[in-house]
mmCIF file of all heavy atoms in Angstrom:
data_model
loop_
_atom_site.group_PDB
_atom_site.id
_atom_site.type_symbol
_atom_site.label_atom_id
_atom_site.label_comp_id
_atom_site.label_asym_id
_atom_site.label_seq_id
_atom_site.Cartn_x
_atom_site.Cartn_y
_atom_site.Cartn_z
ATOM 1 N N THR A 17 -1.478 -11.556 -9.990
ATOM 2 C CA THR A 17 -0.642 -10.382 -9.781
ATOM 3 C C THR A 17 -1.562 -9.204 -9.494
ATOM 4 O O THR A 17 -2.324 -8.788 -10.360
ATOM 5 C CB THR A 17 0.211 -10.092 -11.035
ATOM 6 O OG1 THR A 17 0.960 -11.270 -11.366
ATOM 7 C CG2 THR A 17 1.141 -8.928 -10.815
ATOM 8 N N PRO A 18 -1.490 -8.679 -8.266
ATOM 9 C CA PRO A 18 -2.438 -7.630 -7.893
ATOM 10 C C PRO A 18 -2.209 -6.314 -8.627
ATOM 11 O O PRO A 18 -1.075 -5.919 -8.884
ATOM 12 C CB PRO A 18 -2.205 -7.429 -6.391
ATOM 13 C CG PRO A 18 -1.217 -8.435 -5.961
ATOM 14 C CD PRO A 18 -0.617 -9.051 -7.170
ATOM 15 N N SER A 19 -3.314 -5.654 -8.942
ATOM 16 C CA SER A 19 -3.257 -4.319 -9.534
ATOM 17 C C SER A 19 -2.885 -3.306 -8.452
ATOM 18 O O SER A 19 -2.901 -3.618 -7.262
ATOM 19 C CB SER A 19 -4.628 -3.948 -10.118
ATOM 20 O OG SER A 19 -5.572 -3.826 -9.060
ATOM 21 N N THR A 20 -2.583 -2.107 -8.870
ATOM 22 C CA THR A 20 -2.278 -1.039 -7.921
ATOM 23 C C THR A 20 -3.444 -0.831 -6.967
ATOM 24 O O THR A 20 -3.256 -0.709 -5.762
ATOM 25 C CB THR A 20 -1.971 0.274 -8.670
ATOM 26 O OG1 THR A 20 -0.835 0.057 -9.494
ATOM 27 C CG2 THR A 20 -1.715 1.417 -7.711
ATOM 28 N N GLU A 21 -4.663 -0.809 -7.506
ATOM 29 C CA GLU A 21 -5.830 -0.590 -6.657
ATOM 30 C C GLU A 21 -5.970 -1.686 -5.616
ATOM 31 O O GLU A 21 -6.269 -1.427 -4.456
ATOM 32 C CB GLU A 21 -7.099 -0.493 -7.505
ATOM 33 C CG GLU A 21 -8.308 -0.139 -6.681
ATOM 34 C CD GLU A 21 -9.516 0.190 -7.521
ATOM 35 O OE1 GLU A 21 -9.412 1.049 -8.411
ATOM 36 O OE2 GLU A 21 -10.567 -0.420 -7.274
ATOM 37 N N CYS A 22 -5.727 -2.920 -6.011
ATOM 38 C CA CYS A 22 -5.820 -4.034 -5.068
ATOM 39 C C CYS A 22 -4.761 -3.902 -3.975
ATOM 40 O O CYS A 22 -5.055 -4.097 -2.792
ATOM 41 C CB CYS A 22 -5.662 -5.360 -5.806
ATOM 42 S SG CYS A 22 -5.762 -6.809 -4.733
ATOM 43 N N THR A 23 -3.551 -3.551 -4.354
ATOM 44 C CA THR A 23 -2.482 -3.416 -3.372
ATOM 45 C C THR A 23 -2.755 -2.243 -2.436
ATOM 46 O O THR A 23 -2.509 -2.323 -1.243
ATOM 47 C CB THR A 23 -1.120 -3.266 -4.064
ATOM 48 O OG1 THR A 23 -0.939 -4.375 -4.944
ATOM 49 C CG2 THR A 23 0.015 -3.252 -3.066
ATOM 50 N N VAL A 24 -3.293 -1.156 -2.980
ATOM 51 C CA VAL A 24 -3.645 -0.025 -2.132
ATOM 52 C C VAL A 24 -4.793 -0.429 -1.192
ATOM 53 O O VAL A 24 -4.827 -0.012 -0.042
ATOM 54 C CB VAL A 24 -3.968 1.238 -2.951
ATOM 55 C CG1 VAL A 24 -4.517 2.347 -2.068
ATOM 56 C CG2 VAL A 24 -2.718 1.720 -3.677
ATOM 57 N N PHE A 25 -5.706 -1.269 -1.676
ATOM 58 C CA PHE A 25 -6.768 -1.787 -0.811
ATOM 59 C C PHE A 25 -6.139 -2.541 0.367
ATOM 60 O O PHE A 25 -6.548 -2.367 1.512
ATOM 61 C CB PHE A 25 -7.680 -2.716 -1.625
ATOM 62 C CG PHE A 25 -8.863 -3.242 -0.876
ATOM 63 C CD1 PHE A 25 -10.018 -2.489 -0.750
ATOM 64 C CD2 PHE A 25 -8.833 -4.500 -0.305
ATOM 65 C CE1 PHE A 25 -11.115 -2.984 -0.060
ATOM 66 C CE2 PHE A 25 -9.918 -5.001 0.383
ATOM 67 C CZ PHE A 25 -11.075 -4.234 0.498
ATOM 68 N N GLN A 26 -5.116 -3.355 0.091
ATOM 69 C CA GLN A 26 -4.405 -4.066 1.160
ATOM 70 C C GLN A 26 -3.694 -3.069 2.082
ATOM 71 O O GLN A 26 -3.670 -3.245 3.295
ATOM 72 C CB GLN A 26 -3.393 -5.045 0.565
ATOM 73 C CG GLN A 26 -4.016 -6.189 -0.189
ATOM 74 C CD GLN A 26 -2.995 -6.997 -0.987
ATOM 75 O OE1 GLN A 26 -1.852 -6.602 -1.154
ATOM 76 N NE2 GLN A 26 -3.429 -8.148 -1.488
ATOM 77 N N LEU A 27 -3.137 -2.026 1.480
ATOM 78 C CA LEU A 27 -2.473 -0.980 2.251
ATOM 79 C C LEU A 27 -3.464 -0.291 3.180
ATOM 80 O O LEU A 27 -3.202 -0.119 4.369
ATOM 81 C CB LEU A 27 -1.825 0.035 1.301
ATOM 82 C CG LEU A 27 -1.300 1.333 1.909
ATOM 83 C CD1 LEU A 27 -0.191 1.072 2.901
ATOM 84 C CD2 LEU A 27 -0.820 2.262 0.801
ATOM 85 N N VAL A 28 -4.614 0.092 2.647
ATOM 86 C CA VAL A 28 -5.635 0.755 3.468
ATOM 87 C C VAL A 28 -6.103 -0.179 4.577
ATOM 88 O O VAL A 28 -6.270 0.240 5.723
ATOM 89 C CB VAL A 28 -6.823 1.227 2.606
ATOM 90 C CG1 VAL A 28 -7.977 1.718 3.472
ATOM 91 C CG2 VAL A 28 -6.376 2.323 1.655
ATOM 92 N N ASP A 29 -6.270 -1.451 4.259
ATOM 93 C CA ASP A 29 -6.680 -2.412 5.285
ATOM 94 C C ASP A 29 -5.629 -2.458 6.396
ATOM 95 O O ASP A 29 -5.975 -2.481 7.578
ATOM 96 C CB ASP A 29 -6.879 -3.800 4.678
ATOM 97 C CG ASP A 29 -7.441 -4.787 5.678
ATOM 98 O OD1 ASP A 29 -8.509 -4.512 6.255
ATOM 99 O OD2 ASP A 29 -6.793 -5.833 5.904
ATOM 100 N N ALA A 30 -4.361 -2.436 6.031
ATOM 101 C CA ALA A 30 -3.302 -2.452 7.042
ATOM 102 C C ALA A 30 -3.327 -1.171 7.879
ATOM 103 O O ALA A 30 -3.154 -1.213 9.097
ATOM 104 C CB ALA A 30 -1.937 -2.629 6.375
ATOM 105 N N VAL A 31 -3.576 -0.032 7.235
ATOM 106 C CA VAL A 31 -3.652 1.236 7.968
ATOM 107 C C VAL A 31 -4.846 1.214 8.916
ATOM 108 O O VAL A 31 -4.724 1.529 10.102
ATOM 109 C CB VAL A 31 -3.752 2.437 6.992
ATOM 110 C CG1 VAL A 31 -4.066 3.725 7.740
ATOM 111 C CG2 VAL A 31 -2.464 2.594 6.190
ATOM 112 N N VAL A 32 -6.007 0.826 8.396
ATOM 113 C CA VAL A 32 -7.239 0.845 9.184
ATOM 114 C C VAL A 32 -7.162 -0.101 10.374
ATOM 115 O O VAL A 32 -7.661 0.204 11.456
ATOM 116 C CB VAL A 32 -8.450 0.495 8.283
ATOM 117 C CG1 VAL A 32 -9.702 0.249 9.100
ATOM 118 C CG2 VAL A 32 -8.692 1.607 7.282
ATOM 119 N N THR A 33 -6.518 -1.230 10.197
ATOM 120 C CA THR A 33 -6.428 -2.201 11.285
ATOM 121 C C THR A 33 -5.206 -1.980 12.172
ATOM 122 O O THR A 33 -4.942 -2.775 13.070
ATOM 123 C CB THR A 33 -6.431 -3.643 10.735
ATOM 124 O OG1 THR A 33 -5.349 -3.798 9.813
ATOM 125 C CG2 THR A 33 -7.754 -3.973 10.055
ATOM 126 N N GLY A 34 -4.472 -0.891 11.906
ATOM 127 C CA GLY A 34 -3.354 -0.529 12.762
ATOM 128 C C GLY A 34 -2.105 -1.373 12.583
ATOM 129 O O GLY A 34 -1.252 -1.412 13.464
ATOM 130 N N GLN A 35 -1.970 -2.030 11.442
ATOM 131 C CA GLN A 35 -0.789 -2.845 11.169
ATOM 132 C C GLN A 35 0.298 -1.947 10.566
ATOM 133 O O GLN A 35 0.547 -1.951 9.378
ATOM 134 C CB GLN A 35 -1.133 -3.974 10.201
ATOM 135 C CG GLN A 35 -2.179 -4.931 10.719
ATOM 136 C CD GLN A 35 -2.557 -5.934 9.657
ATOM 137 O OE1 GLN A 35 -1.692 -6.533 9.015
ATOM 138 N NE2 GLN A 35 -3.849 -6.118 9.448
ATOM 139 N N LYS A 36 0.930 -1.172 11.424
ATOM 140 C CA LYS A 36 1.865 -0.142 10.985
ATOM 141 C C LYS A 36 2.990 -0.700 10.115
ATOM 142 O O LYS A 36 3.261 -0.186 9.034
ATOM 143 C CB LYS A 36 2.446 0.568 12.210
ATOM 144 C CG LYS A 36 3.313 1.754 11.879
ATOM 145 C CD LYS A 36 3.750 2.472 13.148
ATOM 146 C CE LYS A 36 4.556 3.702 12.822
ATOM 147 N NZ LYS A 36 4.906 4.454 14.037
ATOM 148 N N LYS A 37 3.639 -1.753 10.568
ATOM 149 C CA LYS A 37 4.774 -2.315 9.825
ATOM 150 C C LYS A 37 4.337 -2.783 8.432
ATOM 151 O O LYS A 37 4.984 -2.468 7.431
ATOM 152 C CB LYS A 37 5.391 -3.471 10.611
ATOM 153 C CG LYS A 37 6.623 -4.047 9.973
ATOM 154 C CD LYS A 37 7.256 -5.128 10.832
ATOM 155 C CE LYS A 37 8.492 -5.692 10.176
ATOM 156 N NZ LYS A 37 9.134 -6.714 11.005
ATOM 157 N N ARG A 38 3.225 -3.517 8.372
ATOM 158 C CA ARG A 38 2.719 -4.009 7.080
ATOM 159 C C ARG A 38 2.344 -2.835 6.168
ATOM 160 O O ARG A 38 2.638 -2.843 4.977
ATOM 161 C CB ARG A 38 1.512 -4.922 7.298
ATOM 162 C CG ARG A 38 0.965 -5.505 6.015
ATOM 163 C CD ARG A 38 -0.094 -6.575 6.297
ATOM 164 N NE ARG A 38 -0.563 -7.141 5.064
ATOM 165 C CZ ARG A 38 -1.766 -6.906 4.546
ATOM 166 N NH1 ARG A 38 -2.634 -6.164 5.203
ATOM 167 N NH2 ARG A 38 -2.116 -7.449 3.405
ATOM 168 N N ALA A 39 1.686 -1.831 6.730
ATOM 169 C CA ALA A 39 1.284 -0.663 5.943
ATOM 170 C C ALA A 39 2.499 0.040 5.347
ATOM 171 O O ALA A 39 2.498 0.400 4.163
ATOM 172 C CB ALA A 39 0.475 0.301 6.807
ATOM 173 N N LEU A 40 3.521 0.219 6.142
ATOM 174 C CA LEU A 40 4.711 0.917 5.656
ATOM 175 C C LEU A 40 5.455 0.105 4.596
ATOM 176 O O LEU A 40 5.977 0.673 3.628
ATOM 177 C CB LEU A 40 5.624 1.282 6.827
ATOM 178 C CG LEU A 40 5.014 2.287 7.821
ATOM 179 C CD1 LEU A 40 5.942 2.494 9.014
ATOM 180 C CD2 LEU A 40 4.665 3.596 7.153
ATOM 181 N N ILE A 41 5.479 -1.209 4.749
ATOM 182 C CA ILE A 41 6.111 -2.066 3.728
ATOM 183 C C ILE A 41 5.329 -2.003 2.420
ATOM 184 O O ILE A 41 5.914 -1.845 1.342
ATOM 185 C CB ILE A 41 6.237 -3.522 4.233
ATOM 186 C CG1 ILE A 41 7.310 -3.600 5.329
ATOM 187 C CG2 ILE A 41 6.564 -4.479 3.083
ATOM 188 C CD1 ILE A 41 7.342 -4.923 6.074
ATOM 189 N N LEU A 42 3.990 -2.121 2.501
ATOM 190 C CA LEU A 42 3.162 -2.051 1.287
ATOM 191 C C LEU A 42 3.314 -0.692 0.603
ATOM 192 O O LEU A 42 3.400 -0.611 -0.622
ATOM 193 C CB LEU A 42 1.696 -2.325 1.622
ATOM 194 C CG LEU A 42 1.351 -3.765 1.969
ATOM 195 C CD1 LEU A 42 -0.045 -3.858 2.582
ATOM 196 C CD2 LEU A 42 1.452 -4.653 0.736
ATOM 197 N N MET A 43 3.344 0.367 1.402
ATOM 198 C CA MET A 43 3.502 1.706 0.842
ATOM 199 C C MET A 43 4.855 1.830 0.133
ATOM 200 O O MET A 43 4.930 2.302 -1.001
ATOM 201 C CB MET A 43 3.408 2.750 1.945
ATOM 202 C CG MET A 43 3.648 4.172 1.458
ATOM 203 S SD MET A 43 4.042 5.296 2.801
ATOM 204 C CE MET A 43 5.549 4.587 3.445
ATOM 205 N N LYS A 44 5.904 1.386 0.790
ATOM 206 C CA LYS A 44 7.254 1.466 0.207
ATOM 207 C C LYS A 44 7.309 0.673 -1.104
ATOM 208 O O LYS A 44 7.857 1.155 -2.102
ATOM 209 C CB LYS A 44 8.274 0.922 1.202
ATOM 210 C CG LYS A 44 9.692 0.944 0.697
ATOM 211 C CD LYS A 44 10.643 0.338 1.720
ATOM 212 C CE LYS A 44 12.030 0.194 1.147
ATOM 213 N NZ LYS A 44 12.910 -0.549 2.046
ATOM 214 N N ASN A 45 6.726 -0.530 -1.111
ATOM 215 C CA ASN A 45 6.738 -1.349 -2.324
ATOM 216 C C ASN A 45 5.999 -0.669 -3.468
ATOM 217 O O ASN A 45 6.431 -0.734 -4.616
ATOM 218 C CB ASN A 45 6.145 -2.729 -2.046
ATOM 219 C CG ASN A 45 7.046 -3.585 -1.184
ATOM 220 O OD1 ASN A 45 8.240 -3.308 -1.039
ATOM 221 N ND2 ASN A 45 6.483 -4.622 -0.583
ATOM 222 N N GLN A 46 4.864 -0.021 -3.151
ATOM 223 C CA GLN A 46 4.119 0.693 -4.192
ATOM 224 C C GLN A 46 4.929 1.850 -4.757
ATOM 225 O O GLN A 46 4.980 2.049 -5.969
ATOM 226 C CB GLN A 46 2.790 1.215 -3.631
ATOM 227 C CG GLN A 46 1.713 0.169 -3.532
ATOM 228 C CD GLN A 46 1.388 -0.407 -4.890
ATOM 229 O OE1 GLN A 46 0.859 0.266 -5.774
ATOM 230 N NE2 GLN A 46 1.712 -1.668 -5.081
ATOM 231 N N LEU A 47 5.567 2.597 -3.890
ATOM 232 C CA LEU A 47 6.370 3.729 -4.359
ATOM 233 C C LEU A 47 7.567 3.251 -5.175
ATOM 234 O O LEU A 47 7.883 3.834 -6.214
ATOM 235 C CB LEU A 47 6.826 4.584 -3.171
ATOM 236 C CG LEU A 47 5.697 5.331 -2.441
ATOM 237 C CD1 LEU A 47 6.215 5.961 -1.156
ATOM 238 C CD2 LEU A 47 5.061 6.371 -3.350
ATOM 239 N N LEU A 48 8.216 2.168 -4.728
ATOM 240 C CA LEU A 48 9.358 1.628 -5.470
ATOM 241 C C LEU A 48 8.952 1.057 -6.825
ATOM 242 O O LEU A 48 9.743 1.070 -7.769
ATOM 243 C CB LEU A 48 10.080 0.557 -4.645
ATOM 244 C CG LEU A 48 10.862 1.064 -3.435
ATOM 245 C CD1 LEU A 48 11.399 -0.112 -2.607
ATOM 246 C CD2 LEU A 48 12.003 1.986 -3.866
ATOM 247 N N SER A 49 7.718 0.555 -6.917
ATOM 248 C CA SER A 49 7.262 -0.010 -8.188
ATOM 249 C C SER A 49 6.802 1.076 -9.160
ATOM 250 O O SER A 49 6.398 0.778 -10.279
ATOM 251 C CB SER A 49 6.139 -1.021 -7.958
ATOM 252 O OG SER A 49 4.950 -0.354 -7.565
ATOM 253 N N GLY A 50 6.866 2.336 -8.711
ATOM 254 C CA GLY A 50 6.544 3.433 -9.614
ATOM 255 C C GLY A 50 5.137 3.977 -9.495
ATOM 256 O O GLY A 50 4.739 4.821 -10.302
ATOM 257 N N THR A 51 4.390 3.521 -8.530
ATOM 258 C CA THR A 51 3.046 4.054 -8.340
ATOM 259 C C THR A 51 3.160 5.517 -7.930
ATOM 260 O O THR A 51 3.916 5.857 -7.031
ATOM 261 C CB THR A 51 2.276 3.266 -7.259
ATOM 262 O OG1 THR A 51 2.237 1.891 -7.648
ATOM 263 C CG2 THR A 51 0.870 3.787 -7.088
ATOM 264 N N GLU A 52 2.428 6.350 -8.605
ATOM 265 C CA GLU A 52 2.459 7.789 -8.319
ATOM 266 C C GLU A 52 1.821 8.065 -6.960
ATOM 267 O O GLU A 52 0.744 7.552 -6.666
ATOM 268 C CB GLU A 52 1.705 8.564 -9.399
ATOM 269 C CG GLU A 52 2.408 8.596 -10.731
ATOM 270 C CD GLU A 52 3.692 9.400 -10.693
ATOM 271 O OE1 GLU A 52 3.739 10.448 -10.019
ATOM 272 O OE2 GLU A 52 4.660 8.970 -11.345
ATOM 273 N N PRO A 53 2.468 8.878 -6.148
ATOM 274 C CA PRO A 53 1.870 9.249 -4.861
ATOM 275 C C PRO A 53 0.467 9.826 -5.000
ATOM 276 O O PRO A 53 -0.412 9.537 -4.190
ATOM 277 C CB PRO A 53 2.852 10.281 -4.297
ATOM 278 C CG PRO A 53 4.164 9.900 -4.892
ATOM 279 C CD PRO A 53 3.818 9.428 -6.283
ATOM 280 N N ALA A 54 0.234 10.621 -6.048
ATOM 281 C CA ALA A 54 -1.095 11.206 -6.245
ATOM 282 C C ALA A 54 -2.150 10.117 -6.450
ATOM 283 O O ALA A 54 -3.278 10.241 -5.956
ATOM 284 C CB ALA A 54 -1.086 12.162 -7.434
ATOM 285 N N ALA A 55 -1.791 9.054 -7.142
ATOM 286 C CA ALA A 55 -2.735 7.948 -7.352
ATOM 287 C C ALA A 55 -3.032 7.241 -6.035
ATOM 288 O O ALA A 55 -4.180 6.874 -5.757
ATOM 289 C CB ALA A 55 -2.177 6.961 -8.375
ATOM 290 N N MET A 56 -1.995 7.050 -5.225
ATOM 291 C CA MET A 56 -2.197 6.402 -3.927
ATOM 292 C C MET A 56 -3.056 7.273 -3.017
ATOM 293 O O MET A 56 -3.948 6.773 -2.324
ATOM 294 C CB MET A 56 -0.855 6.098 -3.275
ATOM 295 C CG MET A 56 -0.071 5.027 -4.017
ATOM 296 S SD MET A 56 1.569 4.756 -3.330
ATOM 297 C CE MET A 56 1.160 4.052 -1.753
ATOM 298 N N LEU A 57 -2.826 8.583 -3.031
ATOM 299 C CA LEU A 57 -3.642 9.486 -2.225
ATOM 300 C C LEU A 57 -5.099 9.435 -2.660
ATOM 301 O O LEU A 57 -6.005 9.414 -1.820
ATOM 302 C CB LEU A 57 -3.111 10.924 -2.331
ATOM 303 C CG LEU A 57 -1.787 11.207 -1.634
ATOM 304 C CD1 LEU A 57 -1.267 12.592 -2.012
ATOM 305 C CD2 LEU A 57 -1.922 11.068 -0.129
#
């Protein structure tokens, strides 16, 4: 079960590699799971 940091790492990888759809899904899932936007930033 990935930690927030690991999932954000996957999110950043999706952003960096231009995988817009994947990045937006990962971001939405993090926000829905209660991850604070400040922590993600």
